[in-house]
Amino acid sequence: MLVYPSGIDVSSSALRLLSAKLRQHRQELGTRWRRLSPGRQALLTLAHLRNGHPYAQLAAGFGIGTTTAYRYVTEAVELLATLAPTLEEAARTASMKAFVLLDGTLLPIDRIAADRPFYSGKHKKHGMNVQVLADPSGRLLWASPALPGAVHDVRAARDHGIVRTLTDAGIKCWADKGYRGAGGTVRVPYWGRWETLSRGQKAVNRSHAKIRALVEQAAATLKSWRILRKLRCSTTRVTTLVRAILTLHLASSD
């Protein structure tokens, strides 16, 4: 296999954070020696998450075995996932904002047509449903655990406790029509065909659409990490990947 130098468009603060956590983790385990230093293991993990390179290619580039590459990446991802903020912590951050934006995004997965629980009728493809919270500027604040793609957005928001948490904290939330009936502090557009809405209702819906359009930036932030654009891992690992990427994003944003 040919090997060539390449770059990763990731903030150096993310590399420093992961390197420090890996170094601390090795000290706690009492590890004496490994094929890669904490910094190189962190770089390996970032290359996998950001560029989506398979383990065989990464192993060749870093001069290690494929199994070792998988083990190093898995260890780092699980470590990062434990550092991701909880919904309650995100709500405390959101309480300092005027409001938050809520939306669901589908992370495509490699599944066959028989896997109906993972098929999203809205997107016409198989995937995992992830709910995202963003601030008024569209910056990502929090991402939920992943649910099968067939789960509707409003049900996912309730199952994760998003509606209850935001309502208890008195945080106003703007969402699309997929959250109709959510209640609490969640605000959705007027329902109905455009021609049947009154002039005032149309004006409200236009204003609502302009406000919540920025939440697309938060979803795009997640998918800028190419590993999430086409997941080929077990669906049980998706939540860990999302939480790890959320940690890296927040570290890069500080």
Side-chain angles (χ1 to χ4, degrees):
M1 184 178 294
L2 299 177
V3 179
Y4 66 95
S6 182
I8 310 173
D9 56 340
V10 178
S11 170
S12 59
S13 58
L15 178 64
R16 289 194 297 269
L17 169 70
L18 182 53
S19 299
K21 294 300 179 182
L22 286 170
R23 190 173 296 106
Q24 179 183 354
H25 182 63
R26 292 186 183 188
Q27 291 175 351
E28 293 173 351
L29 294 177
T31 303
R32 293 186 177 181
W33 179 85
R34 288 193 182 185
R35 292 293 302 275
L36 296 182
S37 66
R40 294 285 287 174
Q41 183 181 353
L43 187 61
L44 169 74
T45 304
L46 293 178
H48 176 66
L49 296 177
R50 189 66 172 183
N51 296 333
H53 293 320
Y55 296 113
Q57 292 182 4
L58 292 172
F62 282 81
I64 57 178
T66 303
T67 302
T68 302
Y70 172 82
R71 180 162 49 85
Y72 280 2
V73 170
T74 300
E75 178 185 49
V77 167
E78 291 177 350
L79 184 61
L80 285 170
T82 62
L83 304 175
T86 64
L87 177 57
E88 290 70 22
E89 291 171 340
R92 285 195 290 272
T93 301
S95 64
M96 295 181 287
K97 312 291 183 179
F99 56 87
V100 294
L101 306 171
L102 171 64
D103 197 12
T105 188
L106 188 79
L107 304 180
I109 60 174
D110 187 13
R111 287 295 182 273
I112 60 175
D115 294 320
R116 298 301 300 177
F118 299 98
Y119 184 79
S120 170
K122 175 182 177 181
H123 297 90
K124 309 300 181 184
K125 64 176 67 173
H126 293 79
M128 301 295 289
N129 180 306
V130 174
Q131 301 292 301
V132 296
L133 285 176
D135 68 9
S137 299
R139 291 186 290 264
L140 180 65
L141 296 176
W142 180 78
S144 75
L147 293 175
V151 177
H152 198 273
D153 282 340
V154 67
R155 177 187 162 190
R158 287 170 176 160
D159 289 351
H160 294 311
I162 299 173
V163 177
R164 182 185 65 254
T165 301
L166 295 179
T167 301
D168 291 346
I171 302 171
K172 295 180 180 179
C173 175
W174 298 80
D176 62 21
K177 293 180 179 179
Y179 296 88
R180 187 166 64 106
T185 56
V186 178
R187 299 291 180 262
V188 298
Y190 283 105
W191 182 264
R193 298 177 63 87
W194 183 256
E195 59 271 15
T196 64
L197 298 178
S198 68
R199 181 177 301 178
Q201 289 174 330
K202 291 179 180 179
V204 169
N205 280 9
R206 289 193 192 97
S207 176
H208 189 283
K210 291 179 181 179
I211 292 173
R212 66 160 302 278
L214 290 174
V215 74
E216 300 297 337
Q217 295 181 14
T221 296
L222 280 181
K223 294 181 179 179
S224 66
W225 297 79
R226 294 177 181 84
I227 192 68
L228 297 183
R229 294 182 186 177
K230 187 64 173 180
L231 292 160
R232 293 178 173 84
C233 62
S234 169
T235 55
T236 59
R237 294 190 58 216
V238 178
T239 294
T240 304
L241 285 172
V242 170
R243 291 180 62 81
I245 288 172
L246 176 62
T247 298
L248 291 172
H249 167 72
L250 295 177
S252 302
S253 302
D254 291 340

